[in-house]
Amino acid sequence: MNVLFVASEVARYAKTGGLGDVSAALPMYLRRAGHDVRTFMPLYKTVDGKGANVVPLLRDVELRLGPHRYTFGVFVAERPGDAPVHLVDCPALYHRPGLYTGDPDEHLRFLVLCRAALEVCQRTGFSPDVVHCNDWQAALLPLIIQTRYRWDRLFEKTRTVLTIHNIGYQGTVGPHAVRDAGLADSANLFHQEQLKDGRVNFLLHGILYADAVTTVSPTYAREIQTPEYGVGLDPFLRARSSTVMGILNGVDYDEWSPEKDKLIPHRYSAQDLSGKARNKEELLSKMGLPNVPGVPVIGIVSRLVGQKGFRLLEGVMPALLRRHRVQLTVLGSGERRLERMFSAWVRGFPKQVAFYRGFSNELAHLIEAGADMFLMPSLYEPCGLNQMYSLKYGTVPIVHKTGGLADTVKLWDPDTGQGTGVSFANHDARAVQWGIEAALGLYADRNVWRRLMHNGMSEDFSWETQAKVYERVYARVVGGG
Ligand code: ADP
């Protein structure tokens, strides 16, 4: 199949979270399965083509979006065995301090990405069977294809799949978005009541017009169809529930497994865990914490935003740190309040807590490899990748039982010796305290802990399996099902 894959980030070139990992891995595995997949993302200022063969494909293409005019070019980055990544070059839009902005032209930045992808199809004669749109940034593509590009027989058979990686980000813009999308002639196809209220919700229009809607775990697929988790879009998802499907993200074990990880100092396996202990020493030394034998280390690697649930820790962590011999290594950045919370613990517990404020892929790998436990108290979690990475690294996850965390972490059962981590059902301070203390209790029993680590390390969430599920979704929409 010919697949056009459009996403705002693709790891290796630019990444802020799980979307980047998925957009790097899924096209690669689909390509290995024999499909012609072409990925599109913006050429942000920070994109580094190191290790790829980057060649120019188009330059100085003029694009008109309502009253706005842009000129873009396209480079193609290729790596052996990988799907080509098309980098849309438009410095006026993409050379900003971060990948995402709160600027008034944020929607235009991604409309240019979408339009550029279609323009490249036309200029190269690439007729996609499936356009795979990711998140709000690409969610208007189904409607754009069905209207503005309808005349072109190249797209006659094209079907669309929208994947929602996080329903918390919907791309809500004023009514001028209709004109900016070049769809003034098709304003009647937008959600009329919202338009009257002065709103255009990009993600909603993906849900309305894509041939299939997927999200990144079965539990999240159910959750977002409820008012509690749907962030206002649940009625629209329920109306299309027969096409809404949850497909768990996979893990690229070439990048994220202790046997193959090129970013950690000591590789190890379930059979020989000695490297893990040495990674722990390395982690503690790098984070400036003392290495005290027998003291467990809890790791956190995360965007520091409300969704991730760290505010639950505010009231309980200081007491836990006083009461237990435990250390905490945190990597992340985001909301000031959360950054200040972790910084305050570093000052209050300098031998127990270390916080690296920022983004570091290398440190993320070292925390996975060196920590004993991994904490994810997310309020909601569409899939979550770090808990799956943690399982493979023998780093026992402590998670709130929601979304993909519920689908991937099984609560330890002392009677059967089954289970891979600790999960708590309620999202409150007592529950997270219970979760952490339960994990500390299990850690104290070496045999139990070893079993838990082994159970987790033998779990398999590989992309080989998950990419096949996407293939079936593609086949279904192409076949008209
Ligand atoms: P989300 O997409 O909501 O951020 P996921 O768990 O799906 O959450 O994916 C997070 C990805 O981003 C993981 O690969 C994680 O290692 C990475 N990540 C998050 N924050 C950082 C950071 N500060 N430094 C390095 N990697 C990070």
Side-chain angles (χ1 to χ4, degrees), residues 45-58:
K45 198 167 63 188
T46 47
V47 164
D48 178 0
K50 202 170 56 214
N53 181 29
V54 184
V55 291
L57 178 70
L58 292 177

Side-chain angles (χ1 to χ4, degrees), residues 9 11 15-22 165-166 169 216 249 256 300-305 307-308 330-333 356-365 368 374 376 378 380-389 405:
E9 55 181 83
K15 165 176 162 182
T16 65
L19 169 64
D21 291 347
V22 176
H165 297 263
N166 190 331
Y169 302 89
V216 289
N249 285 334
W256 291 97
I300 290 175
V301 179
S302 186
R303 294 182 299 120
L304 301 181
V305 294
Q307 176 212 333
K308 300 297 177 179
V330 183
L331 164 63
S333 64
Y356 180 98
R357 189 169 73 84
F359 192 93
S360 163
N361 193 33
E362 203 171 320
L363 184 55
H365 282 253
E368 286 294 2
F374 198 94
M376 295 179 76
S378 308
Y380 71 93
E381 193 59 77
C383 176
L385 292 171
N386 279 114
Q387 82 284 6
M388 294 196 272
Y389 302 157
L405 299 174

